[in-house]
Amino acid sequence: MTEVEDPSTAMAAKAAQTEPPSEKQVRLAELAWIRDEVVQGPAPGSTQAQHDRGKLTARERIALLMDDDSFTEIEPLRRHRATGFGMENKRPYTDGVVTGWGTVDGRTVFVYAHDFRIFGGALGEAHAEKIHKVMDLAEEAGAPLVALCDGAGARIQEGVTALAGYGGIFRRNAASSGVIPQISVILGPCAGGAAYSPALTDFVFMVRGVSQMFITGPDVVEAVTGARMSLEELGGADVHSRTSGVAGFAYDDEETCLEDVRVLLSLLPSNNRELPPVVECEDPVDRVCEGLIDVVPADPAQAYDMRDVIEEVVDDGDFFEVHEGWAGNVVCALARMEGHVVGIVASQPQALAGVLDIEASEKAARFVTLCDAFNVPLLTLVDVPGFLPGVEQEHGGIIRHGAKLLYAYCNATVPRISLVLRKAYGGAYIVMDSRSIGADLAFAWPTNEVAVMGAEGAANVVFRREIAESDDPEAARERLVAQYRQELMHPYYAAERGLVDDVIDPAETRMVLCRALAMLRSKHSELPSRKHGNPPA
């Protein structure tokens, strides 16, 4: 038997089908449409055009950076108020920058990402105000800030208000320096005044074939100097990671680049009031480093790779090097020892015999200052024959630049440990965190030579007359060099005078350093009361 439908129910259903949507339903539908436009962008095909350039969109980049489904966007509905030049007819949502916060490994991180699909990512008044807002929030919340840069500079149609927007960014970069970690990831053009914001941040990442940074473009350079070059040749990733030192990292693709940004964040505290994250360590603290005996040759003139030493000493052989391609005669890296983050500054005998020059001094000085700002203990591995001699170095200001490293170490209040592996000569020995400039603990291997200069050079100065008056100057020189080395350069000379705390077995290096770092974790040291110092320029 077929059930007969209630007429009243049928009439009600029919009425519901013809009843107009409520105001609430209309508004919700409008909101859904706007939010879809926010994500899709204003122009059909704009996302595909970005992909055709070999680049990800702003939101795809944020998704790679942040933990899944953790990003919260702020001011997605912001639009500019500019008029003239047809701007009043082009008012896309977001105004070309995506801002907000999310988590990386569960820790809060703020981000802004230029959306090249909108006005080429160019900065206007509303665009800048969104960035100012997220920068202020990051500082107030005490959380890192990551800038994903892919913009065409100031928005010409908005004139001086766009330039003022950059000024507000620069001021906030400076105010947050040493307070929260600031990371710039260059994923497109970054020209003119826009390049100064990344230069004010703690780390700069770039991607080959995608990123360019310069103050004046190739056309202007050619007009002024006659030199013709491409965007990549003028300001590409390899130029800034190997020649200028502006970028600390260079990659072949965006995915790998952003993955390493996550790694770097895992090694840094959220702000200057916290310690870096600690992880569980399964690598035994007392692990014997037998390999070190073979890694470092006893002959002070023979080269080796200091990275092999670092790999032997740190947890699981894992470290994160900064500025790997620039100033290769010094290695700067973040690593963990007993699960705690440590900053490593190390001579690199494989490059220029490990001497300090202008670029190495600048590289190490900035790294030391960064570690001190963010409560990262410093470990200095010393095998340095001195400063690089030469007219070019002297005229280039090696005195000023070397003093930067000296100032950075003297100003650092974090735990500081130095280890002399082989050579430690002259002023370079002092500068590389010797006891005399405030290292908390200094150790040395039995192969160490701590002296004003090498034995050959010293003997030529001290015994110049005696060598000259000898019947056999060469034999006399060899005899006097051996005498000088035996009396003033034996491994225990510095220890006998308290300049090193102990001479240790290389195989026990990890154990000694881990114990020393554990003891110094409660170190508390304050600088004299002052507004700020005046470091060498």
Side-chain angles (χ1 to χ4, degrees):
M1 182 177 180
T2 304
E3 184 177 347
V4 179
E5 184 178 9
D6 183 350
S8 61
T9 302
M11 291 178 62
K14 186 176 180 179
Q17 292 174 1
T18 58
E19 184 178 336
S22 67
E23 181 70 14
K24 181 178 180 180
Q25 291 172 322
V26 170
R27 294 301 184 190
L28 287 173
E30 181 183 32
L31 175 61
W33 181 84
I34 290 173
R35 288 197 177 280
D36 183 66
E37 184 175 320
V38 166
V39 174
Q40 298 301 325
S46 58
T47 297
Q48 185 58 48
Q50 179 78 343
H51 290 165
D52 291 342
R53 299 184 189 99
K55 301 195 295 185
L56 301 174
T57 66
R59 296 178 188 280
E60 288 169 340
R61 291 163 176 165
I62 291 173
L64 286 173
L65 174 66
M66 298 292 186
D67 296 338
D68 293 343
D69 300 320
S70 70
F71 179 63
T72 300
E73 187 172 356
I74 54 176
E75 296 195 4
L77 307 185
R78 189 72 178 262
R79 300 200 288 182
H80 72 76
R81 300 173 294 180
T83 57
F85 307 102
M87 291 293 288
E88 61 274 15
N89 300 319
K90 300 176 182 177
R91 300 181 64 232
Y93 292 108
T94 75
D95 201 44
V97 63
V98 181
T99 59
W101 75 90
T103 61
V104 174
D105 295 327
R107 300 164 62 217
T108 299
V109 173
F110 287 81
V111 64
Y112 68 85
H114 299 297
D115 190 342
F116 195 82
R117 303 174 306 169
I118 298 174
F119 299 128
L123 182 139
E125 180 185 24
H127 183 121
E129 288 176 353
K130 288 183 65 175
I131 296 175
H132 297 169
K133 173 73 173 290
V134 79
M135 293 180 79
D136 289 341
L137 284 173
E139 183 177 0
E140 291 166 3
L145 174 71
V146 179
L148 305 179
C149 304
D150 184 9
R155 197 174 296 169
I156 298 173
Q157 298 92 328
E158 296 194 31
V160 71
T161 56
L163 295 178
Y166 273 124
I169 293 172
F170 302 157
R171 177 166 58 85
R172 287 168 172 82
N173 283 139
S176 293
S177 180
V179 179
I180 57 172
Q182 299 180 81
I183 299 172
S184 296
V185 188
I186 314 303
L187 299 167
C190 188
Y196 282 113
S197 177
L200 288 168
T201 60
D202 300 307
F203 299 95
V204 176
F205 289 71
M206 296 185 74
V207 176
R208 297 180 182 92
V210 169
S211 313
Q212 300 94 35
M213 291 179 71
F214 41 76
I215 299 300
T216 53
D219 293 341
V220 176
V221 170
E222 182 178 359
V224 174
T225 70
R228 180 178 298 179
M229 58 185 63
S230 67
L231 291 171
E232 197 72 15
E233 291 170 330
L234 179 61
D238 287 331
V239 169
H240 287 307
S241 64
R242 298 176 183 175
T243 305
S244 73
V246 171
F249 311 91
Y251 299 88
D252 292 326
D253 59 82
E254 295 189 32
E255 291 83 356
T256 306
C257 175
L258 292 169
E259 179 58 35
D260 266 9
V261 174
R262 288 176 59 91
V263 173
L264 176 58
L265 286 167
S266 74
L267 294 165
L268 297 173
S270 294
N271 56 67
N272 64 341
R273 300 182 301 277
E274 298 181 5
L275 295 174
V278 180
V279 300
E280 186 176 349
C281 175
E282 297 181 356
D283 192 351
V285 171
D286 59 354
R287 170 170 52 82
V288 176
C289 303
E290 293 287 358
L292 290 178
I293 298 173
D294 298 324
V295 167
V296 182
D299 180 358
Q302 189 172 344
Y304 64 94
D305 192 345
M306 183 63 82
R307 295 184 184 92
D308 293 336
V309 176
I310 297 172
E311 188 174 330
E312 279 282 337
V313 171
V314 302
D315 292 353
D316 303 312
D318 189 25
F319 61 94
F320 191 79
E321 188 171 351
V322 180
H323 282 296
E324 181 180 355
W326 180 62
N329 39 326
V330 67
V331 175
C332 297
L334 293 167
R336 283 192 168 88
M337 298 188 71
E338 202 177 353
H340 294 261
V341 178
V342 61
I344 299 172
V345 178
S347 309
Q348 175 55 296
Q350 200 174 54
L352 296 176
V355 298
L356 287 175
D357 61 0
I358 289 173
E359 292 184 345
S361 298
E362 284 201 346
K363 171 180 171 178
R366 181 162 173 79
F367 184 75
V368 167
T369 301
L370 174 112
C371 290
D372 186 52
F374 293 113
N375 308 311
V376 178
L378 286 162
L379 169 61
T380 305
L381 304 177
V382 185
D383 190 350
V384 60
F387 282 94
L388 182 64
V391 174
E392 183 179 347
Q393 288 290 307
E394 296 295 346
H395 289 185
I398 185 63
I399 296 173
R400 284 188 299 108
H401 296 288
K404 291 179 182 178
L405 180 54
L406 183 61
Y407 187 96
Y409 270 125
C410 291
N411 213 42
T413 60
V414 293
R416 291 157 52 190
I417 300 172
S418 66
L419 170 65
V420 179
L421 282 66
R422 291 194 309 186
K423 304 178 299 295
Y425 295 160
Y429 154 65
I430 300 295
V431 168
M432 289 290 281
D433 206 20
S434 62
R435 278 289 301 275
S436 58
I437 65 168
D440 297 296
L441 291 169
F443 300 102
W445 284 0
T447 48
N448 83 84
E449 291 183 353
V450 180
V452 175
M453 62 178 69
E456 289 78 6
N460 288 337
V461 173
V462 175
F463 304 114
R464 179 181 302 167
R465 180 175 297 178
E466 187 174 344
I467 293 172
E469 294 174 352
S470 172
D471 293 336
D472 187 347
E474 190 58 38
R477 179 182 289 107
E478 290 181 9
R479 175 175 54 81
L480 293 169
V481 165
Q483 178 185 335
Y484 184 88
R485 180 175 281 116
Q486 182 179 4
E487 293 183 6
L488 294 178
M489 296 184 65
H490 63 78
Y492 307 102
Y493 185 87
E496 290 170 2
R497 286 152 181 79
L499 298 176
V500 298
D501 292 286
D502 198 7
V503 178
I504 65 173
D505 183 340
E508 297 177 351
T509 300
R510 174 175 166 81
M511 179 184 67
V512 170
L513 294 178
C514 284
R515 287 180 176 178
L517 288 165
M519 179 275 292
L520 288 168
R521 278 183 202 127
S522 58
K523 176 186 175 182
H524 179 73
S525 178
E526 292 184 357
L527 295 172
S529 177
R530 59 183 174 182
K531 186 175 181 180
H532 55 73
N534 185 22

